[in-house]
Each structure stands twice: as structure tokens, then as C-alpha cells.
Amino acid sequence: MAEAKVAIVTGSSRGIGRGIAERLATEGYNVVINYFRSRESADEVVAAIQDSGGKAVAVQADVADCKGRDALVNAAIENWGRLDLLVNNAGITSQGRKDLLEATEESWDRVFATNLKGPFFLAQLAANRMIESGKKVGTIVNISSISAYATSTNRADYCMAKAGMQMMTWLLADRLADEGICVYEVCPGVIASDMTAPVKEKYDRLIAEGLSPIRRWGSPDDVAKAVVALASGAFPFSTGDRINVDGGFHIRRL
Ligand SMILES: NC(=O)c1ccc[n+]([C@@H]2O[C@H](COP(=O)([O-])OP(=O)(O)OC[C@H]3O[C@@H](n4cnc5c(N)ncnc54)[C@H](OP(=O)(O)O)[C@@H]3O)[C@@H](O)[C@H]2O)c1
């Protein structure tokens, strides 16, 4: 039997990351589950994967911190001796969702450290491990957002960090193509998770009014299916692409 592939999914104790981790496990990946504060939830994810016959390990790590990033890559190598896929999913929203005229440097620093600096340097670390393996193959998927191009004036730092993720994806895709590593950006729309729970009523209304052509909330599994497809090798002549998982939100309409 072929050796199982190994994935790291950041922020996989809850929400979209959990959905991605569980679907990757179903596809036969051994998965590094990453949590920051929610240890119990991460243990639940590991147990659910193991109960279905898969392999997973939970690792506490702050992606904004270099020691945390080291711990994630080391967990993949120490447990299973390889790394095939990094999913940069962990992310936080703007602290306090303050109007742009009231936005704080504290929120900016935390959002940029978690949503852009962490993913970049983790991708750097993961890419170096993939290159060292000599296999000339690997995938990096960055979970961005429709906020990379749609303004929310009460989440300026979040929008700017997500916009930066597109250039980060292009840069990595350009540099890593010769190493056999493909890099993609996935832009979820409105997805049901703890992040959107506080604004549920607003989005219920907007969706009912036709915010996106497909009139429903997205689910973590909608995003997970896209990630699995990208990691499957089904797009061997594509890199740097943005995949929208947004019910068609990105289409300009009259
Ligand atoms: N929900 C949406 O509608 C939506 C739409 C577009 C894009 N996205 C993006 O999708 C990703 C996941 O969002 P979500 O809705 O699933 O969020 P969520 O439900 O709030 O979950 C966030 C996850 O990220 C982890 N996390 C937070 N800070 C971290 C850090 N410093 N280091 C490591 N892990 C950290 C959390 O871990 P702990 O609980 O252990 O602290 C949790 O597992 C984010 O990048 C978000 O920007 C979401």
C-alpha cells in the first residue's frame, strides 16, 4: 500500500479548518490538526478522524509565532516523515469590527501577524521541507476571502491582509514552480462558522435579498471539497490561481 500523504491544516480545531481536515482524512491524508486556544475542540477533531479509521495529531501553535510554526512542521515530520500539503487556514477577524476611522494598531498588528505574516513564513518553512525531501512535488493552499476584494469598512485590516494573500500566492507560485510545488488561493464567501455567528442575522438578510446568485450560506465542507480537488493533482498545469467558493458572489451583476 502506498504511504499516506501528510497535510498540515492551520486553525483546524473549528470551522472551515476542521471541515478541511476531516475531508482530507477521508481522502487518506494523515493530518496535523492545529489549535491555538481550543484544545478540547482539537482533541474532538482528532478523535473523530481516528474513529473513522484515519490518522491525526493535535498541535498547539500560534501561527503568528515562529516557534509555533516550527512545531507544526516538526509534527508532520516526526510523526509521519513527510509533508505533502499545507493549508494556511487559521485566521481572525478585525478586533472589535471598528469603523475605519476608529480602527486600532493593536487589531492591525494581530490581524496581519495571524492572517498574513504567519501564513507566509509557514509556507516558507513548509516549502523548504518539501524541497529537502527531493520529491519535487507538493501543494500549498491559502484560505483567503471575498474580503480580499470586497470592502468592509469595519474590517479594514482584515480586508488588507486578505488582499495581500493574493500577491503572497502569486509570489510563492512563481518561486516554487521549479520545485514542483503548486500554490493556490481559495476565496470563501459567507460560510457558517464561529467567525460569522455574530453577524448571522445580517447575512441571513443579505443572502435572502440575493447577495450571491446561489442563495444560501456556504458550509466548511464546501471549502473543504475545493481544497481536496486542488490537492489531488487534478490541475497539474495550474498554479497561482484563485478559486472562488462563494455561491457566485464575485460576479458583477446589473
Ligand atoms: N467564515 C467565513 O465566512 C469566512 C469567509 C471567508 C474567509 N474565511 C477565512 O477562513 C479561515 C477560517 O475561518 P473560520 O470561519 O473557520 O474561523 P473560526 O470559526 O473563527 O475558526 C478560526 C480557527 O483559526 C484558529 N486560530 C485563530 N488564531 C490562530 C492562531 N494565531 N494560530 C493558530 N490558529 C489560530 C482557531 O483556533 P482556536 O479556536 O484553537 O483558537 C480556529 O481553529 C480564516 O482564514 C477566515 O479568514 C472565513
Side-chain angles (χ1 to χ4, degrees):
M1 210 170 75
E3 204 178 64
K5 288 187 174 178
V6 175
I8 297 170
V9 183
T10 64
S12 43
S13 51
R14 299 183 283 121
I16 294 173
R18 177 178 183 159
I20 295 169
E22 291 188 341
R23 191 159 274 281
L24 286 170
T26 307
E27 295 293 318
Y29 278 82
N30 296 345
V31 191
V32 177
I33 303 298
N34 162 230
Y35 68 98
F36 180 33
R37 295 202 174 91
S38 309
R39 188 194 177 124
E40 274 183 29
S41 310
D43 288 343
E44 257 178 47
V45 180
V46 170
I49 288 174
Q50 288 173 343
D51 287 349
S52 314
K55 288 194 179 136
V57 62
V59 176
Q60 196 285 330
D62 177 356
V63 295
D65 177 50
C66 70
K67 287 195 207 83
R69 297 189 293 270
D70 283 343
L72 290 171
V73 174
N74 289 342
I77 303 303
E78 282 162 16
N79 282 281
W80 299 299
R82 57 189 283 172
L83 177 60
D84 301 276
L85 169 66
L86 166 67
V87 184
N88 267 319
N89 165 79
I92 55 170
T93 193
S94 189
Q95 293 180 2
R97 293 182 188 249
K98 293 190 176 174
D99 177 72
L100 181 148
L101 295 176
E102 310 292 331
T104 64
E105 287 194 39
E106 287 80 1
S107 177
W108 171 288
D109 288 344
R110 193 62 208 156
V111 166
F112 269 79
T114 307
N115 294 11
L116 195 58
K117 183 186 86 170
F120 175 74
F121 285 104
L122 183 56
Q124 181 192 64
L125 201 61
N128 277 311
R129 283 314 302 215
M130 290 172 184
I131 293 165
E132 277 166 31
S133 78
K135 289 192 194 123
K136 285 259 170 201
V137 64
T139 309
I140 297 173
V141 179
N142 300 313
I143 307 298
S144 178
S145 172
I146 55 175
S147 298
Y149 58 85
T151 58
S152 290
T153 52
N154 63 344
R155 293 185 293 133
D157 42 18
Y158 182 83
C159 294
M160 286 186 276
K162 291 298 187 185
M165 214 169 212
Q166 180 169 50
M167 180 52 79
M168 177 184 122
T169 301
W170 285 337
L171 287 161
L172 290 165
D174 181 4
R175 175 62 184 84
L176 298 176
D178 279 345
E179 313 293 348
I181 300 168
C182 289
V183 189
Y184 305 103
E185 179 193 16
V186 169
C187 284
V190 180
I191 309 291
S193 76
D194 292 342
M195 186 181 276
T196 44
V199 282
K200 181 174 181 309
E201 278 169 27
K202 173 186 162 188
Y203 285 126
D204 278 345
R205 180 173 46 79
L206 290 175
I207 290 167
E209 287 168 4
L211 179 74
S212 51
I214 301 176
R215 288 190 202 212
R216 67 164 173 86
W217 282 75
S219 70
D221 199 44
D222 288 322
V223 183
K225 283 175 174 157
V227 172
V228 164
L230 290 169
S232 72
F235 303 96
F237 197 46
S238 303
T239 193
D241 297 78
R242 167 177 283 179
I243 308 297
N244 298 296
V245 184
D246 63 354
F249 172 88
H250 64 280
I251 302 165
R252 285 185 167 215
R253 292 182 289 164
L254 279 174

